[in-house]
Amino acid sequence: MVRYVAFTLVLLLAAIFTARSDCSQKHVSAAPKGFPRFSWTTLPVFWHAWAPEPFNATELDFINRFPLVTIEKAMSSKVAPVDREAEKKIVAAAEQVKKRNSTIKVLFYLNSLRDVEFYELHQFCLKHEEMMYLFDEEHKPVVLRGADILNMSSDKVREIWLRVLEHANSSNWIDGAFIDRGGDPSVAEGSFHKVSHENFEQLVLGHRQLFPEIRKAFGEEFLVVANHQDYNTTNGRMFENFMLNDNDHAQAYSDLLLLMHETSFPHIAEVHIDKCDPTKYNTTLAGYMIGAGQYAYYGCTYGFTIDSGWLTWPADYSKPLGAPLANASTIANATGFCKNQSGEGSTRPGTEVTNHFWDEFRRHATRVHHHEHKLKVWVRDYWSSHHADSSQPIFGRKFSSGTCVTLDYNSYPPASCIVWADGSHTGSSISCLA
């Protein structure tokens, strides 16, 4: 079943790539105001981490390579006051980065559901628990991953939360916010099993309302990137575990479809894989290159501390890439694809999907934009009712430098093959080199 769902979802991705000429990467619009730099010259990458102490010169030199940087919650947490005043410490780190390179867009980390202990907001919450926290039917605070849940159904709680961002923004050292737990709370509803249905629904509605309130408070050039989810009033989202389940326990590999959908607006997409290992790197890098549009950035690390991969620069990051010659296409065979000089691959018969389905997907995506899990389920159910073909697709895409990538779903995990412009190879397969 998992393999069939993987097929149907990536098949839909192929249809979107091949059927919609308006999604082509040949022509890209000017950068929206406030957006980070973006270039296809080499692999577009982003940085997102914390360090136990202020950045040193070597770390700042390394961070200077990235156009988009998020300073995480535990920044300088080992500096007095220990594990306190994250609001000030994140801004201080942002100042370090911006003084080194003012063109870098720096995002301030803030969680929209969990009361994270590093913040002075946490100290305020401890003094005003009845006002700030969500309680279950036994009048116990609701806990998610060891932290009490903020009652975002309350106008007052959202106002206080927004003040944290307002204070950070007034420093003039940050360019926006990274909102963790940005996805719909219902995907973590196991944490809310003792909350009344009415109170839970009010939490979900209040949490959704937070994002237009951020936009209203800080204007159009204030970047808002949410984790796990995108909203009409945000500038994009992070895929924290790209091509796995992105923490929402939905169908595997549907992130490929959502990545293409995300960057067709244009929106920012931080494409990340956690617990990075060679297999995950090979698969997700190929998946990123198949699905990426403008303002999609890649990262593969083993966590979010500075020493968990955020000071590592794989050789692939420096190799010439160039803009895609065309959207990705389904191909008959990965073998020999990269020897063919044409930007388009030969389309496998029977895998095309009409523009009608793409239009249906976009309409449904708009209706459930706040609930990504429902969107993925809709994709699965629609395809189950329209397709019985159990064959597995192969994707291919080429770039102006001569770099070429294929992703073959006839094995699990998918066989990835990237041949770079310099002739070097990345991936679990060598078929594209033939």
Side-chain angles (χ1 to χ4, degrees), residues 121-138:
L121 175 63
H122 173 65
Q123 303 302 319
F124 180 88
C125 289
L126 292 178
K127 296 175 182 177
H128 303 88
E129 291 186 1
E130 292 292 329
M131 177 177 66
M132 296 299 295
Y133 292 148
L134 178 70
F135 290 86
D136 63 22
E137 292 179 316
E138 298 176 357

Side-chain angles (χ1 to χ4, degrees), residues 180-404:
D180 203 358
R181 304 308 302 185
D184 197 296
S186 59
V187 301
E189 57 187 312
S191 302
F192 303 97
H193 64 282
K194 292 185 178 180
V195 178
S196 70
H197 177 75
E198 180 182 357
N199 286 348
F200 180 71
E201 288 299 311
Q202 289 300 313
L203 173 71
V204 171
L205 291 173
H207 188 254
R208 293 175 193 165
Q209 188 174 337
L210 179 64
F211 292 90
E213 289 175 346
I214 296 172
R215 180 61 62 218
K216 181 178 179 181
F218 301 106
E220 293 300 319
E221 293 187 32
F222 186 86
L223 291 176
V224 182
V225 176
N227 200 7
H228 314 304
Q229 182 72 45
D230 190 15
Y231 297 86
N232 293 331
T233 52
T234 58
N235 300 107
R237 52 84 57 87
M238 172 188 267
F239 295 85
E240 186 173 351
N241 284 299
F242 180 62
M243 291 177 66
L244 295 180
N245 62 28
D246 205 29
N247 291 350
D248 64 3
H249 309 293
Q251 290 72 39
Y253 307 111
S254 55
D255 285 346
L256 276 169
L257 165 66
L258 292 165
L259 171 60
M260 196 292 306
H261 179 58
E262 187 70 26
T263 53
S264 67
F265 286 99
H267 273 187
I268 294 167
E270 295 183 337
V271 179
H272 178 259
I273 183 65
D274 202 8
K275 306 296 187 291
C276 188
D277 60 28
T279 298
K280 290 179 180 178
Y281 176 78
N282 289 338
T283 303
T284 60
L285 178 59
Y288 166 84
M289 293 172 69
I290 290 290
Q294 193 178 25
Y295 304 113
Y297 305 85
Y298 181 76
C300 189
T301 68
Y302 207 81
F304 293 97
T305 61
I306 195 169
D307 58 356
S308 63
W310 295 104
L311 292 177
T312 299
W313 190 265
D316 291 343
Y317 287 12
S318 296
K319 295 176 182 177
L321 182 61
L325 295 178
N327 294 321
S329 58
T330 54
I331 57 178
N333 197 313
T335 303
F337 173 74
C338 293
K339 290 286 184 72
N340 180 356
Q341 296 302 310
S342 170
E344 299 283 359
S346 57
T347 303
R348 172 180 289 182
T351 61
E352 300 89 342
V353 183
T354 64
N355 287 348
H356 173 72
F357 180 76
W358 170 244
D359 292 338
E360 285 295 306
F361 170 77
R362 292 297 292 267
R363 279 195 289 272
H364 193 77
T366 300
R367 287 197 296 271
V368 297
H369 202 53
H370 56 268
H371 199 319
E372 181 175 299
H373 179 73
K374 288 182 179 179
L375 178 61
K376 293 178 179 182
V377 170
W378 181 86
V379 169
R380 179 198 65 193
D381 292 346
Y382 186 101
W383 273 94
S384 295
S385 65
H386 285 72
H387 291 266
D389 186 353
S390 60
S391 62
Q392 303 295 308
I394 306 170
F395 291 96
R397 199 180 195 189
K398 298 180 178 180
F399 297 82
S400 61
S401 67
T403 295
C404 174

